[in-house]
Amino acid sequence: METPPRDLRFETKAIHAGQDPDPVYGAVNVPIYQTSTYAQPAVGQPKVWDYGRGGNPTREAFQQALAALEGGARCFAFASGLGASTTLLLTLQPGDHVLLSNDVYGGTYRLLTKVLSGWGLACDTVDLADPAALAAALRPTTRLVWLETPSNPLLKIVDIRAVAAAAHQAGARVVVDNTFATPALQRPLELGADVVLHSVTKYISGHSGLIGGAVITSDAALIERLGFLTNAVGAVPGPMDCYLALRGLKTLAVRMRAHCEGAAAVADFLAAHAKVTRVYYPGLPGHPGREIAADQMSDFGGMVSFEVATGAEALRIAERTRLFFLAESLGGVESLIEVPGPMTHASVAGSPLEVLDSLIRLSVGIEHPDDLIADLLQALG
Ligand SMILES: *Cc1c(COP(=O)(O)O)cnc(C)c1O
């Protein structure tokens, strides 16, 4: 009788899932299979894949590892987070409706309102933290409810279980963009979501070294359609990026512990600073989503936003930090600072997703928190 597979813990899966030593030489790192095609032993009988768009061993290892960490049956990797979103949205039909949380990633909003709307997909934004608003916004044609928690840049928390229950009752699937939390802190599929999406660019790869995306699901019908579309649409990542993403994934748990520790210290420091008028961090007492976050996440994440008196003051602070680099993006080992209004959120100015210009967003890296706080102290002046 076979012994049942041991239920390995998260940190162990990150090192071992999909990553057996190479059968020929025993290399402990999955090799970079830098190939576009595969020699076939006979016509129409490829060993595994016939062509590199359809699959690649390095990509496959990354996909298996990330699927294991999210607790999903399959993961599909893409060349960017938006490539992942586009391919996922192409599983829909003209006339279908997508419900977005009202502070969804600006690129997702732009994709739906400025690209896919022309192909017949309808979308609305709604405050998913408000059950009555969600119930009113669901339509008979709603196929997907799309949320981020914590959200960007206000770190709003949405109750994944509650949204999943309401969406499922209306016949819609739930997509959670888990880029901010990562599976180290939050596993949406275990909370009732149908699909998890990542910008691999951020915490999953973790070193600001590549652009990538991923979709994870256990839904058999969706797996079949996504398998077809991945190859048919072709927004796939190269083997080198998959190798780097997999290397990053191995240390996700330890990096997230350091990100969370640093962010909590930075949030406490900001909350006590006279020039800071408001701090957004789900772990702070008084944050409206703190209880739900504590329930569905194992820690509060590495992102912190805060407000100062004016937009001009926000710009001055963001240009004065030395350790926090002034840059868009997030989730790397190095700390970043940005002013969402004129930077990451410029494309949503005038839309329901517009943000205050006096808001600053921090991606707290894994440097020593004391050094980061000293840097913010001198920048706040
Ligand atoms: C960056 C980001 C995306 C888009 O991913 P790309 O890799 O930049 O295409 C989607 N969602 C969230 C929450 C993001 O931060």
Side-chain angles (χ1 to χ4, degrees):
M1 207 173 79
E2 272 186 27
T3 43
R6 273 189 308 147
D7 192 14
L8 297 174
R9 288 167 183 80
F10 188 90
E11 291 83 349
T12 314
K13 286 185 202 163
I15 309 296
H16 292 281
Q19 302 169 68
D20 290 340
D22 145 60
V24 182
Y25 296 108
V28 298
N29 278 303
V30 174
I32 304 168
Y33 285 89
Q34 196 73 48
T35 189
S36 63
T37 191
Y38 306 92
Q40 305 183 21
V43 172
Q45 293 171 34
K47 288 189 166 184
V48 180
W49 300 286
D50 55 5
Y51 184 57
R53 181 170 5 87
N56 175 285
T58 319
R59 194 204 310 172
E60 185 59 29
F62 170 61
Q63 291 178 155
Q64 286 187 16
L66 186 50
L69 295 186
E70 286 286 4
R74 274 292 293 276
C75 168
F76 298 92
F78 296 92
S80 69
L82 279 172
S85 302
T86 304
T87 307
L88 177 59
L89 288 165
L90 288 174
T91 63
L92 303 181
Q93 301 289 322
D96 287 349
H97 176 245
V98 180
L99 199 50
L100 300 170
S101 61
N102 63 357
D103 52 358
V104 72
Y105 176 70
T108 305
Y109 182 76
R110 181 177 57 195
L111 176 62
L112 272 156
T113 55
K114 300 236 167 88
V115 182
L116 294 171
S117 58
W119 298 90
L121 281 189
C123 85
D124 279 310
T125 59
V126 69
D127 180 1
L128 289 175
D130 178 348
L134 167 59
L138 283 162
R139 299 185 198 170
T141 53
T142 305
R143 295 285 169 265
L144 294 180
V145 177
W146 190 297
L147 66 95
E148 286 165 35
T149 178
S151 72
N152 176 22
L154 295 180
L155 291 313
K156 250 174 51 184
I157 301 295
V158 171
D159 186 336
I160 296 173
R161 284 190 193 91
V163 171
H168 290 161
Q169 201 164 25
R173 289 187 173 108
V174 173
V175 180
V176 176
D177 181 335
N178 206 27
T179 299
F180 270 42
T182 86
L185 307 182
Q186 170 176 278
R187 288 183 288 281
L189 299 179
E190 294 173 2
L191 300 168
D194 303 281
V195 183
V196 167
L197 184 131
H198 278 284
S199 171
V200 169
T201 313
K202 318 289 169 52
Y203 289 107
I204 295 291
S205 64
H207 296 73
S208 304
L210 61 92
I211 301 287
V215 171
I216 302 98
T217 185
S218 297
D219 183 313
L222 209 50
I223 288 172
E224 192 181 340
R225 190 65 186 154
L226 280 169
F228 172 79
L229 284 172
T230 298
N231 183 55
V233 174
V236 297
M240 179 76 189
D241 281 355
C242 291
Y243 174 84
L244 290 170
L246 182 57
R247 165 162 287 201
L249 197 60
K250 289 174 196 247
T251 57
L252 180 65
V254 284
R255 282 188 287 109
M256 290 315 292
R257 282 200 279 273
H259 284 297
C260 292
E261 189 191 333
V266 163
D268 283 342
F269 159 76
L270 291 170
H273 196 284
K275 278 204 184 155
V276 175
T277 52
R278 187 160 174 193
V279 183
Y280 299 85
Y281 185 64
L284 280 182
H287 187 286
R290 190 178 194 279
E291 241 172 76
I292 295 166
D295 182 50
Q296 67 188 13
M297 302 174 75
S298 59
D299 206 338
F300 300 107
M303 301 298 295
V304 180
S305 295
F306 64 102
E307 279 168 27
V308 290
T310 65
E313 179 72 1
L315 297 181
R316 263 199 304 279
I317 293 164
E319 288 170 359
R320 229 187 282 151
T321 55
R322 299 183 191 123
L323 295 177
F324 283 84
F325 298 136
L326 175 59
E328 303 194 358
S329 199
L330 59 114
V333 291
E334 64 290 301
S335 292
L336 303 179
I337 188 167
E338 67 123 358
V339 186
M343 294 176 70
T344 49
H345 288 62
S347 78
V348 294
S351 84
L353 279 67
E354 184 167 8
V355 295
L356 278 176
D357 64 358
S358 53
L359 186 78
I360 296 174
R361 189 188 77 182
L362 303 175
S363 173
V364 179
I366 64 169
E367 302 95 333
H368 197 290
D370 292 350
D371 292 331
L372 297 179
I373 288 168
D375 189 31
L376 290 169
L377 185 63
Q378 65 80 23
L380 282 158

